[in-house]
Amino acid sequence: MRAVVLGRLADGVTRGIEGFGRSVSESFFDPTLRLGVTGLSRAGKTVFITSLIANLIDRGRMPQLVAAAEGRVLSAFLQPQPDDTLPRFDFETHYAALTATDPHWPESTRAVSELRLSLRLRGAGILGGVTGPRTLHLDIVDYPGEWLLDLGLMAKSYQEWSDDTLARMAERPGGAEAQAALAAVDANAKLDETVAQGLAHGFTAYLRTARAAGFSDCTPGRFLLPGEMAGSPVLTFAPLPPGRAKRGSLRAEFTRRYDAYKSKVVQPFFRDHFARLDRQVVLVDALGAIHDGPRAVEDLRRTLADTLGAFRPGAASWLGRLLGARRVDRILFAATKADHLHHTQHARLTAIMGALVQDARRRADFAGARTEAMSIAALRATVEETRDHQGRTLDLVRGRLLDDGRVAAFYPGALPEDPGVLMAPAREGAEAWLDADYQVMRFAPAKQTLKPGEGPPHIRLDRAAQFLIGDRL
Ligand code: GDP
């Protein structure tokens, strides 16, 4: 069965390329919708895009995508993307990983990439039959949420950024030692590149430790995901305690590199990629943060609020000027990996997702964008199961564990009905959840037997697609 589906996908690709040769001018004038897919590292961007594309090509599992359900999507095929210098999202390799005989998760997002999926549509409305098919190009742009977070740096001087970063370090794992090392250095000594590199390495190692412990705000974003800039001077600096910056000193050079990071890394990203988006999905591993504890949840909430500042820039700010009248007009906040929960808990996860972005969302709504919170699984790796356990029934999910390949049933803990039960202790800086324990398991992707016309199994990916692109189909 899979061979059939792969064949159909491959067909789609070739057809698309032929089609492109035939009608460059046609596709030039066809409407384009640019969909940004972001989220912090391991939020699920790669899996989301791969499954979305596969499920748009084979639409058998997309009943909530109204145009697909009504048969108005005639075909969907991949085309060469419009941006010659952007890496292509490697759909084929990622899809092959997920649907292999021994399926495995694809490699995660490390940098920005793009893919164009063209949808051939029946004309809508009463004239539909008369006007003939039309085409919509969906340009999907994948980029790390860490890069979006760098927006916060634009308004800060090197010293302001240093002060904020050093203050935060004390309470984070690995932070105290890194902070002590930075405090001990003679910042006014003449720049020594070996010392500079040592400090930058130590600082990057701390950011990595903090990220692994569940902290979200670990700027500068490229320190964790450097792309092709690894090792370059714009990524070789670290925060320093306040003091005068003598010419030629370490502090003067770090100040210069920080400013170069803003003007040569952050600003171009917003100009070249972010400013051109029409729609945005922000993927959030809320379950992972809940598992990591109240501090991780509060950090995630704050990070999301900061990130979303990008979607409501003031007209006077440089980003506001850059965007002009153009704005992202729909933003979806999706809690990913909902297949870790039995469906009886999905509404609770959605409520938590909503609470995490409540403040930020109010402001983005105000700026005219429609927003929605959902819980989804781009690729369903589990099945549901109900068991009797010590006299009560437990709603579980069962899947193959990533670590040892065993099939196991799993109960992650009961999420509260009222998200405030999690949000309040998080805001108050609690160390641990009072009377609850939340587990996460990593499941391997399940073996697929896809029927012709069906994409990989998911949870509410069709509803997500309806919100993001449905009105344009
Ligand atoms: P990225 O860093 O945002 O590109 O994240 P990925 O898409 O690579 O996802 C990171 C990891 O999260 C994957 O390797 C999977 O282990 C897990 N994951 C992502 N999406 C799903 C999903 O829908 N269901 C389950 N069970 N796990 C998922």
Side-chain angles (χ1 to χ4, degrees):
M1 287 294 189
R2 190 171 330 114
V4 176
V5 173
L6 271 174
R8 289 157 50 83
L9 278 167
D11 264 11
V13 178
T14 1
R15 257 204 318 275
I17 290 166
E18 283 163 13
F20 187 74
R22 198 190 60 233
S23 58
V24 174
S25 58
E26 176 195 326
S27 64
F28 198 76
F29 294 110
D30 289 331
T32 306
L33 191 67
R34 281 179 86 81
L35 169 66
V37 179
T38 197
L40 296 173
S41 171
R42 311 214 54 82
K45 298 178 290 296
T46 310
V47 177
F48 176 87
I49 297 174
T50 307
S51 182
L52 178 66
I53 291 172
N55 277 292
L56 285 174
I57 292 177
D58 287 313
R59 296 170 295 283
R61 287 190 212 258
M62 299 291 271
Q64 299 285 327
L65 182 63
V66 176
E70 292 179 351
R72 284 190 277 117
V73 183
L74 303 175
S75 61
F77 45 91
L78 294 169
Q79 294 230 51
Q81 64 191 46
D83 298 282
D84 286 335
T85 54
L86 258 186
R88 181 177 181 277
F89 180 85
D90 192 0
F91 168 73
E92 291 77 6
T93 306
H94 298 328
Y95 184 76
L98 289 175
T99 51
T101 333
D102 184 16
H104 49 278
W105 296 108
E107 243 180 74
S108 298
T109 300
R110 314 283 313 161
V112 59
S113 68
E114 183 186 38
L115 193 67
R116 167 168 282 191
L117 182 77
S118 295
L119 298 146
R120 201 88 177 129
L121 304 161
R122 211 176 60 212
I126 41 168
L127 290 178
V130 183
T131 52
R134 61 197 170 91
T135 302
L136 174 75
H137 302 298
L138 179 65
D139 290 343
I140 302 178
V141 182
D142 174 26
Y143 66 93
E146 282 81 357
W147 296 6
L148 202 53
L149 206 52
D150 278 342
L151 184 69
L153 304 189
M154 292 303 295
K156 287 184 194 167
S157 69
Y158 171 68
Q159 201 52 62
E160 285 165 338
W161 170 75
S162 286
D163 294 347
D164 290 354
T165 305
L166 289 168
R168 239 187 344 235
M169 284 168 91
E171 61 190 49
R172 293 181 172 187
E177 306 90 83
Q179 194 189 34
L182 292 164
V185 78
D186 178 4
N188 264 325
K190 199 169 160 308
L191 167 76
D192 175 337
E193 193 55 39
T194 320
V195 174
Q197 282 176 13
L199 294 174
H201 280 154
F203 176 61
T204 310
Y206 146 73
L207 289 177
R208 250 187 236 117
T209 312
R211 181 75 191 103
F215 288 92
S216 303
D217 182 352
C218 302
T219 50
R222 302 277 170 140
F223 279 48
L224 294 180
L225 293 167
E228 79 280 19
M229 284 177 202
S232 64
V234 277
L235 302 193
T236 312
F237 64 89
L240 290 171
R244 225 167 52 81
K246 272 199 345 217
R247 275 185 75 189
S249 66
L250 180 73
R251 193 197 310 283
E253 180 61 11
F254 276 8
T255 308
R256 193 196 67 74
R257 289 181 187 181
Y258 172 83
D259 289 335
Y261 181 83
K262 291 203 297 187
S263 64
K264 302 220 169 93
V265 179
V266 183
Q267 225 164 350
F269 164 71
F270 279 92
R271 183 191 62 218
D272 300 340
H273 305 301
F274 183 78
R276 297 166 58 213
L277 300 176
D278 302 303
R279 303 278 158 94
Q280 178 69 57
V281 51
V282 180
L283 302 174
V284 180
D285 183 7
L287 286 173
I290 294 169
H291 164 76
D292 287 330
R295 287 194 169 174
V297 168
E298 176 58 8
D299 195 59
L300 176 62
R301 190 193 66 78
R302 263 194 280 123
T303 305
L304 282 166
D306 287 353
T307 311
L308 298 171
F311 296 100
R312 48 174 171 75
S317 73
W318 66 271
L319 184 59
R321 283 195 299 274
L322 187 75
L323 294 174
R326 188 169 186 150
R327 286 287 190 278
V328 166
D329 61 357
R330 286 188 184 208
I331 311 171
L332 174 66
F333 303 103
T336 52
K337 313 179 194 180
D339 58 327
H340 283 78
L341 298 174
H342 191 272
H343 76 268
T344 44
Q345 293 218 52
H346 287 178
R348 296 177 180 200
L349 181 60
T350 306
I352 292 166
M353 184 67 247
L356 278 169
V357 292
Q358 197 174 29
D359 296 345
R361 203 174 155 185
R362 232 181 260 134
R363 281 170 280 175
D365 273 341
F366 195 61
R370 270 189 63 187
T371 62
E372 195 159 318
M374 272 182 207
S375 45
I376 65 165
L379 191 92
R380 180 175 204 147
T382 63
V383 290
E384 298 190 337
E385 188 173 303
T386 300
R387 277 193 199 170
D388 289 321
H389 180 72
Q390 297 175 344
R392 61 187 188 121
T393 52
L394 266 190
D395 289 329
L396 312 168
V397 293
R398 183 159 46 83
R400 192 161 56 90
L401 299 181
L402 195 61
D403 291 340
D404 55 13
R406 266 184 317 127
V407 172
F410 168 67
Y411 182 69
L415 294 176
E417 208 156 330
D418 171 10
V421 172
L422 295 182
M423 307 308 288
R427 271 188 203 247
E428 285 152 18
E431 290 270 355
W433 304 119
L434 212 53
D435 48 9
D437 196 12
Y438 302 102
Q439 303 297 323
V440 275
M441 283 271 155
R442 284 195 71 200
F443 292 106
K447 282 197 177 71
Q448 314 284 345
T449 5
L450 302 179
K451 296 199 192 87
E454 272 187 356
H458 60 80
I459 299 172
R460 280 186 288 277
L461 191 64
D462 49 347
R463 281 198 44 201
Q466 174 61 27
F467 175 76
L468 289 167
I469 62 169
D471 61 317
R472 297 291 299 274
L473 301 180

